[in-house]
Amino acid sequence: MRLYASLTLVAAVALSACTHTPASRTSAAANAHSPATVLNGKLVGPNQMTLYVFDRDTAGSGKSVCNGNCATNWPPLVAPAGARPIGNWSVVTRDDGTPQWAYQGKPVYYWSKDSKPGDATGHGVGNAWRIATP
């Protein structure tokens, strides 16, 4: 009986080790579907470029006020057609009908003058642009 109990315990431990997902893998898997990731305390797009929010956008309005020439300088983080909200992420519709990702209700953008991952030269531009942070 003792041997049976020991084998049962060993089997249970082995099974739980095989089915347990470490926290780091769980976080990575959860973020795999997110439109952006956090790098050095800021949100970055799939291309690892810094994302920004515009003070003139109203959180939760469902739209972006940066269109036309503004969007040339501040390209939106475009969402795929049919994208659905996930966590703190939602989708807004731009004036031209393009879906754009929004973080906590605020549309997010790249800055055209950032040239490589890690650049954050758009922070403070026009006293209206801020690095998007979690």
Side-chain angles (χ1 to χ4, degrees), residues 94-110:
R94 302 183 49 72
D95 284 356
D96 66 4
T98 304
Q100 178 180 357
W101 286 112
Y103 184 75
Q104 296 181 342
K106 295 273 284 193
V108 291
Y109 309 83
Y110 296 106

Side-chain angles (χ1 to χ4, degrees), residues 37-132:
T37 57
V38 178
L39 184 63
N40 297 324
K42 60 187 172 192
L43 293 175
V44 297
N47 59 2
Q48 300 301 298
M49 298 296 284
T50 302
L51 292 170
Y52 299 87
V53 292
F54 188 34
D55 289 347
R56 295 186 186 123
D57 281 326
T58 302
S61 70
K63 61 179 282 138
S64 162
V65 298
C66 179
N67 294 285
N69 288 337
C70 179
T72 300
N73 290 320
W74 299 93
L77 177 57
V78 175
R84 299 266 189 223
I86 179 170
N88 287 319
W89 293 93
S90 58
V91 179
V92 300
T93 303
R94 302 183 49 72
D95 284 356
D96 66 4
T98 304
Q100 178 180 357
W101 286 112
Y103 184 75
Q104 296 181 342
K106 295 273 284 193
V108 291
Y109 309 83
Y110 296 106
W111 170 228
S112 63
K113 294 185 181 176
D114 283 347
S115 60
K116 65 186 180 309
D119 283 355
T121 63
H123 185 71
V125 169
N127 201 29
W129 291 92
R130 312 278 172 240
I131 292 171

